[in-house]
mmCIF file of all heavy atoms in Angstrom:
data_model
loop_
_atom_site.group_PDB
_atom_site.id
_atom_site.type_symbol
_atom_site.label_atom_id
_atom_site.label_comp_id
_atom_site.label_asym_id
_atom_site.label_seq_id
_atom_site.Cartn_x
_atom_site.Cartn_y
_atom_site.Cartn_z
ATOM 1 N N VAL A 484 43.705 8.864 38.039
ATOM 2 C CA VAL A 484 43.662 7.668 38.874
ATOM 3 C C VAL A 484 44.772 7.734 39.940
ATOM 4 O O VAL A 484 44.533 7.434 41.123
ATOM 5 C CB VAL A 484 43.829 6.375 38.028
ATOM 6 C CG1 VAL A 484 43.970 5.163 38.934
ATOM 7 C CG2 VAL A 484 42.598 6.190 37.125
ATOM 8 N N TRP A 485 45.943 8.122 39.537
ATOM 9 C CA TRP A 485 47.075 8.226 40.465
ATOM 10 C C TRP A 485 46.917 9.427 41.399
ATOM 11 O O TRP A 485 47.139 9.273 42.626
ATOM 12 C CB TRP A 485 48.390 8.366 39.678
ATOM 13 C CG TRP A 485 49.590 8.396 40.573
ATOM 14 C CD1 TRP A 485 50.251 7.323 41.118
ATOM 15 C CD2 TRP A 485 50.299 9.563 41.013
ATOM 16 N NE1 TRP A 485 51.287 7.761 41.905
ATOM 17 C CE2 TRP A 485 51.385 9.120 41.836
ATOM 18 C CE3 TRP A 485 50.177 10.930 40.783
ATOM 19 C CZ2 TRP A 485 52.292 10.009 42.436
ATOM 20 C CZ3 TRP A 485 51.046 11.819 41.354
ATOM 21 C CH2 TRP A 485 52.086 11.351 42.201
ATOM 22 N N LEU A 486 46.511 10.576 40.900
ATOM 23 C CA LEU A 486 46.374 11.764 41.733
ATOM 24 C C LEU A 486 45.305 11.593 42.821
ATOM 25 O O LEU A 486 45.465 12.100 43.922
ATOM 26 C CB LEU A 486 46.011 12.984 40.834
ATOM 27 C CG LEU A 486 47.153 13.553 39.935
ATOM 28 C CD1 LEU A 486 46.614 14.662 39.075
ATOM 29 C CD2 LEU A 486 48.316 14.030 40.781
ATOM 30 N N TYR A 487 44.206 10.935 42.440
ATOM 31 C CA TYR A 487 43.059 10.823 43.352
ATOM 32 C C TYR A 487 42.999 9.470 44.066
ATOM 33 O O TYR A 487 41.980 9.077 44.586
ATOM 34 C CB TYR A 487 41.748 11.036 42.598
ATOM 35 C CG TYR A 487 41.638 12.424 41.937
ATOM 36 C CD1 TYR A 487 40.993 12.531 40.702
ATOM 37 C CD2 TYR A 487 42.128 13.563 42.550
ATOM 38 C CE1 TYR A 487 40.893 13.771 40.090
ATOM 39 C CE2 TYR A 487 42.029 14.801 41.920
ATOM 40 C CZ TYR A 487 41.405 14.887 40.713
ATOM 41 O OH TYR A 487 41.285 16.125 40.093
ATOM 42 N N ARG A 488 44.123 8.745 44.086
ATOM 43 C CA ARG A 488 44.136 7.397 44.592
ATOM 44 C C ARG A 488 43.706 7.316 46.065
ATOM 45 O O ARG A 488 42.978 6.404 46.467
ATOM 46 C CB ARG A 488 45.514 6.746 44.420
ATOM 47 C CG ARG A 488 46.639 7.430 45.162
ATOM 48 C CD ARG A 488 48.013 6.877 44.692
ATOM 49 N NE ARG A 488 49.111 7.452 45.472
ATOM 50 C CZ ARG A 488 49.622 8.657 45.271
ATOM 51 N NH1 ARG A 488 49.101 9.409 44.300
ATOM 52 N NH2 ARG A 488 50.642 9.099 45.981
ATOM 53 N N GLN A 489 44.112 8.300 46.864
ATOM 54 C CA GLN A 489 43.735 8.284 48.293
ATOM 55 C C GLN A 489 42.242 8.567 48.481
ATOM 56 O O GLN A 489 41.606 7.943 49.275
ATOM 57 C CB GLN A 489 44.585 9.285 49.062
ATOM 58 C CG GLN A 489 46.087 8.938 49.090
ATOM 59 C CD GLN A 489 46.876 9.927 49.926
ATOM 60 O OE1 GLN A 489 46.373 11.006 50.304
ATOM 61 N NE2 GLN A 489 48.145 9.616 50.186
ATOM 62 N N ASN A 490 41.742 9.546 47.738
ATOM 63 C CA ASN A 490 40.297 9.846 47.814
ATOM 64 C C ASN A 490 39.459 8.692 47.325
ATOM 65 O O ASN A 490 38.378 8.378 47.879
ATOM 66 C CB ASN A 490 39.985 11.132 46.985
ATOM 67 C CG ASN A 490 40.583 12.383 47.565
ATOM 68 O OD1 ASN A 490 41.066 12.368 48.678
ATOM 69 N ND2 ASN A 490 40.577 13.426 46.822
ATOM 70 N N THR A 491 39.951 8.046 46.294
ATOM 71 C CA THR A 491 39.203 6.889 45.717
ATOM 72 C C THR A 491 39.164 5.757 46.736
ATOM 73 O O THR A 491 38.125 5.117 46.954
ATOM 74 C CB THR A 491 39.907 6.412 44.443
ATOM 75 O OG1 THR A 491 39.938 7.503 43.481
ATOM 76 C CG2 THR A 491 39.157 5.199 43.846
ATOM 77 N N ALA A 492 40.304 5.495 47.414
ATOM 78 C CA ALA A 492 40.343 4.448 48.418
ATOM 79 C C ALA A 492 39.409 4.778 49.580
ATOM 80 O O ALA A 492 38.693 3.866 50.086
ATOM 81 C CB ALA A 492 41.774 4.259 48.930
ATOM 82 N N ALA A 493 39.366 6.012 49.984
ATOM 83 C CA ALA A 493 38.457 6.420 51.077
ATOM 84 C C ALA A 493 37.010 6.228 50.657
ATOM 85 O O ALA A 493 36.194 5.811 51.458
ATOM 86 C CB ALA A 493 38.771 7.900 51.442
ATOM 87 N N ALA A 494 36.676 6.610 49.429
ATOM 88 C CA ALA A 494 35.320 6.507 48.931
ATOM 89 C C ALA A 494 34.873 5.016 48.899
ATOM 90 O O ALA A 494 33.733 4.691 49.179
ATOM 91 C CB ALA A 494 35.200 7.089 47.539
ATOM 92 N N ARG A 495 35.802 4.140 48.546
ATOM 93 C CA ARG A 495 35.490 2.727 48.496
ATOM 94 C C ARG A 495 35.232 2.181 49.913
ATOM 95 O O ARG A 495 34.364 1.321 50.103
ATOM 96 C CB ARG A 495 36.624 1.953 47.808
ATOM 97 C CG ARG A 495 36.694 2.182 46.296
ATOM 98 C CD ARG A 495 37.889 1.531 45.678
ATOM 99 N NE ARG A 495 37.896 1.762 44.253
ATOM 100 C CZ ARG A 495 38.938 1.528 43.456
ATOM 101 N NH1 ARG A 495 40.038 0.968 43.988
ATOM 102 N NH2 ARG A 495 38.891 1.776 42.166
ATOM 103 N N ARG A 496 36.005 2.664 50.885
ATOM 104 C CA ARG A 496 35.793 2.196 52.279
ATOM 105 C C ARG A 496 34.437 2.638 52.789
ATOM 106 O O ARG A 496 33.744 1.891 53.452
ATOM 107 C CB ARG A 496 36.935 2.749 53.138
ATOM 108 C CG ARG A 496 38.265 2.093 52.935
ATOM 109 C CD ARG A 496 39.219 2.389 54.097
ATOM 110 N NE ARG A 496 39.532 3.803 54.148
ATOM 111 C CZ ARG A 496 40.585 4.368 53.501
ATOM 112 N NH1 ARG A 496 41.365 3.612 52.783
ATOM 113 N NH2 ARG A 496 40.784 5.661 53.609
#
Side-chain angles (χ1 to χ4, degrees):
V484 171
W485 183 81
L486 288 176
Y487 300 143
R488 62 191 185 281
Q489 294 182 351
N490 293 348
T491 301
R495 287 175 180 168
R496 287 195 295 269

